[in-house]
Amino acid sequence: MNDIERLPRNRTYLMCPPKHFTVEYAINPWMDTTLPVDATLALKQWEILRDTLGDLGHRVHLLDAVAGLPDMVYAANGAFSVDGMVYGARFRHPERSAEADAHREFYELQGWSFAGPQHVNEGEGDFAYLPAAYGGMVLAGYGFRTDPAAHAEAQDVLGRPVVSLRLVDPAFYHLDTALAALDDRNITYYPGAFSPASQRVLAQLFPDAVLADREDAEAFGLNLVSDGRHVILNTEATAMGDKVRAAGYLPVHVDLSELKRGGGSVKCAVAELRP
């Protein structure tokens, strides 16, 4: 058992209710248009996740759902914010492109500094920020959804070093399905989702990382949200829960079985706002 004291930090999040959630197209390997979504259950599970974050002391802002955009519930994909600056998303697939406009409107109404992207990127789906690692570092994924040129663009916008990591397994099409920040300086990840060179980079930068296996990743156990102590993750990811507990964190399991039908879980549904 790890004897390091893990301390939570209050966070601010953005979520979007699954009012129009369905699986009517397939743009990742997890989506199956032949299986109906239980809309009532999806909303109930989403509400439990929202309430769990609130009960842990975090503030949750809500983004209005838009009819015709069933994937808006995956609020993490719409932008990426660091120190009050927002780097907007530009979606790979046309089915989701209008989501970027809804996110931009939210941030601009809140008075945030917003930079529209020139390159394809899917927000926190492919970006993770660790404010206490090497003075503040962004990890960025590419290979399926985000153009690697967006990494340089994000670095220019955010003023933080960006480390590019190549994803090689289509089952883990976004960085947040294969890697997560456990606190402000350390991560957990599934090595097999990354190229050999990216695996070496991660091993060098994060020698104390919690390593996951394929079973953990397929259970969406890496698509988690952590406040530095409490790690909120999918109920299926029991083995992953044991791993983070052994590292000194407190797993909190939430059932998001309906949202998994669209290829996402806890982290996909939650964007962190960093004023």
Side-chain angles (χ1 to χ4, degrees), residues 158-175:
L158 302 172
R160 294 289 183 273
V162 175
V163 176
S164 294
L165 303 167
R166 185 162 71 92
L167 296 163
V168 296
D169 188 327
F172 312 113
Y173 59 96
H174 272 155
L175 184 72

Side-chain angles (χ1 to χ4, degrees), residues 25 27 68-69 90-99 122:
Y25 49 76
I27 58 174
L69 298 176
R90 184 177 180 183
F91 286 87
R92 172 71 63 187
H93 295 285
E95 292 91 342
R96 300 194 65 185
S97 60
E99 293 180 39
E122 298 199 345

Side-chain angles (χ1 to χ4, degrees), residues 10-13 15 46-61 225 227 230 232 252 254 270:
N10 287 342
R11 314 287 178 116
T12 302
Y13 297 116
M15 298 180 67
W46 178 91
E47 289 173 339
I48 291 172
L49 173 59
R50 178 202 59 195
D51 293 346
T52 297
L53 294 171
D55 290 345
L56 291 172
H58 306 301
R59 185 179 182 186
V60 178
H61 291 271
V225 169
D227 63 12
H230 307 97
I232 302 95
V252 179
V254 176
V270 180

Side-chain angles (χ1 to χ4, degrees), residues 222-244:
L222 291 161
N223 196 244
L224 61 83
V225 169
S226 176
D227 63 12
R229 172 170 171 76
H230 307 97
V231 178
I232 302 95
L233 70 169
N234 187 21
T235 50
E236 288 183 46
T238 54
M240 190 66 209
D242 292 340
K243 289 181 175 70
V244 298

